[in-house]
Amino acid sequence: MNLEKCKLIDLPIIHEPRGNLSFIEGMRHVPFEIKRVYYLYDVPGGAERGGHAHKGLHQLIIAMSGSFDVILDDGAQRKRFHLNRSYHGLYVCPMIWRELDNFSSGSVCLVLASNLYDESDYYRDYQEYLIGLKHLNS
Ligand code: TYD
């Protein structure tokens, strides 16, 4: 699992004079079945979210409104993505450390996830995450 597998996905857009519509189907537009949806909102200026990795969870992160940055780290490389379009989703595969910052005022971060919430799926300590990566690669 590495950064090359994480990428921006162009979501379908139905353009109409009365407004645009985008949609996401599990296993079609994202490489996983969608089991959970959560969203971040009312994020105060300067706040940082994330700061963890997931052992088995696949996610798609979308800036539904406003903008923010997602920093992805696979233990070897770090990459910053600026999300500001509701028709772009950032696919994050398992075992990637992520941080979110630079939230614009009023921004909404929508996350589609491949599984239900499970605290035991998290690495919340970067050093423990690196050790987990090492075990996976050995
Ligand atoms: P966390 O995943 O650390 O948020 P972020 O990555 O945005 O900083 O979750 C914050 C808190 O919310 C933590 O106590 C766990 C809880 N939580 C749930 O109960 N269910 C969920 O689906 C999520 C994502 C978090």
Side-chain angles (χ1 to χ4, degrees):
M1 295 297 181
N2 54 42
L3 263 188
E4 271 76 67
K5 294 191 179 132
C6 301
K7 53 179 194 287
L8 279 174
I9 293 176
D10 289 328
L11 300 168
I13 309 171
I14 310 292
H15 289 284
E16 285 190 35
R18 60 199 176 120
N20 297 334
L21 181 153
S22 288
F23 53 95
I24 307 160
E25 294 177 6
M27 295 307 292
R28 183 166 171 221
H29 304 106
V30 290
F32 57 89
E33 292 291 4
I34 300 160
K35 281 212 184 152
R36 177 168 51 115
V37 176
Y38 66 91
Y39 38 96
L40 301 171
Y41 55 98
D42 291 347
V43 178
E48 291 176 10
R49 304 287 316 207
H52 55 74
H54 287 282
K55 297 172 186 172
L57 196 71
H58 299 252
Q59 291 180 307
L60 188 81
I61 304 177
I62 304 169
M64 267 301 148
S65 184
S67 65
F68 51 84
D69 290 358
V70 184
I71 302 109
L72 299 183
D73 178 331
D74 65 0
Q77 301 176 66
R78 274 170 87 83
K79 197 166 170 189
R80 180 179 284 269
F81 295 84
H82 182 62
L83 299 188
N84 61 356
R85 295 283 180 254
S86 45
Y87 51 83
H88 284 156
L90 178 62
Y91 167 65
V92 184
C93 67
M95 291 305 282
I96 297 287
W97 186 268
R98 90 286 314 275
E99 289 157 14
L100 288 81
D101 65 13
N102 200 20
F103 285 87
S104 69
S105 105
S107 57
V108 179
C109 168
L110 181 79
V111 184
L112 310 183
S114 64
N115 219 337
L116 305 182
Y117 172 72
D118 174 9
E119 186 59 37
S120 70
D121 183 64
Y122 281 74
Y123 283 110
R124 291 196 182 271
D125 179 275
Y126 189 73
Q127 293 310 317
E128 283 176 21
Y129 159 67
L130 291 180
I131 292 166
L133 268 181
K134 230 184 216 171
H135 284 151
L136 264 186
N137 295 328
S138 63

